[in-house]
């Protein structure tokens, strides 16, 4: 169990799952860079976070709930939580784009579930992810495996922040969609990596993009 003074932001679990270096840049070095994807996601989330609840037949939807967990040592805010008349509780996380190949989104959703369970003294069996690009809601079973992965990532997150050390860059395909790519220089990391070749590629990419506009 963590003391409240040691709580970290819930969003960090998704960051460390995506990339420990990105997580450190945000949560240790206090940096934030915005690109098209993060800007679009922010605008869409601003529409979701109205703070206004609503009731429809058998379900009451609450938005912007403040949540926390001493087990995970995290705190955050929900997009929406649906409370059904039969007692079921379903947190709904809204996401820009479409479903990802890894479990980043599922982990963030599961962290919300663990927070709500701890705060409300209940058991939540599933959550939901809504993707703006596909306009589809995907229900996510909160399995024992997903719970364990989330708990382990929370511990890893705390250990990373406590260390105060930012991991070295390691280039992967997903780096191209990261808002920190121009600060991180992942393509220059490791042996036999050329900064000049990297810069030429980035310049050529920008020229190509400007020609397409």
């Amino acid at each position: 169990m963590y003391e409240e003074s040691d709580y970290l932001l819930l969003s960090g679990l998704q960051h460390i799952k995506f990339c420990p270096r990105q997580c450190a840049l945000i949560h240790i070095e206090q940096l934030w860079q915005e690109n098209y994807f993060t800007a679009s996601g922010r605008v869409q989330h601003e529409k979701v976070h109205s703070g206004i609840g609503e009731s429809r037949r058998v379900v009451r939807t609450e938005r912007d709930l403040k949540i926390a967990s001493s087990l995970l040592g995290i705190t955050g805010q929900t997009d929406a939580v649906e409370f059904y008349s039969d007692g079921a509780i379903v947190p709904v996380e809204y996401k820009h784009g479409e479903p990802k190949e890894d479990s980043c989104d599922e982990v963030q959703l599961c962290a919300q579930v663990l927070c709500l369970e701890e705060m409300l003294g209940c058991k939540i069996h599933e959550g939901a992810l809504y993707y703006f690009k596909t306009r589809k809601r995907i229900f996510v079973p909160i399995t024992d495996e997903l719970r364990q992965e989330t708990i382990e990532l929370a511990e890893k997150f705390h250990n990373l922040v406590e260390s105060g050390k930012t991991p070295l860059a390691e280039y992967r395909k997903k780096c191209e969609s990261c808002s920190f790519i121009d600060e991180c220089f992942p393509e220059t990391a490791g042996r036999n990596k050329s900064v000049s070749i990297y810069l030429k590629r980035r310049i050529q990419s920008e020229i190509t993009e400007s020609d397409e506009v």
Side-chain angles (χ1 to χ4, degrees):
M1 297 295 180
Y2 292 89
E3 297 293 332
E4 190 171 339
S5 58
D6 296 325
Y7 285 3
L8 301 174
L9 292 177
L10 186 152
S11 59
L13 298 186
Q14 186 182 41
H15 296 149
I16 197 166
K17 174 69 178 181
F18 178 77
C19 172
R21 179 173 171 81
Q22 183 204 65
C23 183
L25 290 173
I26 296 172
H27 298 278
I28 295 178
E29 300 189 24
Q30 302 295 303
L31 299 179
W32 178 252
Q33 292 293 328
E34 193 161 68
N35 62 8
Y36 169 79
F37 301 104
T38 58
S40 297
R42 175 176 53 75
V43 171
Q44 289 169 332
H45 267 81
E46 287 174 354
K47 296 179 180 179
V48 171
H49 286 286
S50 64
I52 301 174
E54 60 180 347
S55 295
R56 293 185 180 179
R57 293 188 178 181
V58 298
V59 59
R60 170 71 183 176
T61 301
E62 296 290 350
R63 305 183 190 281
D64 296 347
L65 294 181
K66 306 295 184 183
I67 56 176
S69 167
S70 59
L71 171 65
L72 302 179
I74 58 173
T75 184
Q77 186 173 342
T78 66
D79 284 344
V81 181
E82 297 176 345
F83 295 86
Y84 289 83
S85 58
D86 63 0
I89 300 174
V90 180
V92 183
E93 177 70 12
Y94 290 79
K95 292 295 182 184
H96 171 72
E98 55 190 356
K100 301 176 179 64
E101 295 181 0
D102 60 24
S103 61
C104 284
D105 294 342
E106 286 79 2
V107 163
Q108 185 176 10
L109 182 64
C110 183
Q112 294 181 21
V113 166
L114 293 174
C115 287
L116 290 167
E117 288 182 339
E118 187 176 320
M119 296 173 67
L120 302 177
C122 64
K123 187 73 171 179
I124 299 175
H125 301 286
E126 69 176 1
L129 295 168
Y130 179 86
Y131 290 92
F132 286 103
K133 186 172 183 178
T134 60
R135 299 191 178 216
K136 289 184 179 180
R137 173 183 288 203
I138 299 176
F139 285 95
V140 179
I142 308 301
T143 64
D144 291 340
E145 291 76 16
L146 182 56
R147 290 172 183 269
Q148 187 60 36
E149 180 184 11
T150 304
I151 293 171
E152 291 175 356
L153 279 173
E155 182 178 2
K156 184 178 179 181
F157 181 27
H158 276 274
N159 289 339
L160 175 66
V161 173
E162 186 178 348
S163 75
K165 298 179 180 178
T166 300
L168 297 176
E170 180 180 350
Y171 178 75
R172 296 179 182 179
K173 184 178 180 180
K174 61 184 179 182
C175 292
E176 296 299 325
S177 65
C178 179
S179 60
F180 286 97
I181 188 168
D182 291 329
E183 287 73 29
C184 182
F185 291 106
E187 288 184 287
T188 67
R191 296 181 179 179
N192 301 320
K193 299 291 184 178
S194 169
V195 175
S196 62
I197 293 177
Y198 165 77
L199 291 175
K200 288 179 181 179
R201 287 180 58 185
R202 298 299 296 178
I203 292 172
Q204 183 59 47
S205 175
E206 292 180 3
I207 292 174
T208 301
E209 290 177 358
S210 64
D211 289 342
E212 292 176 350
V213 174

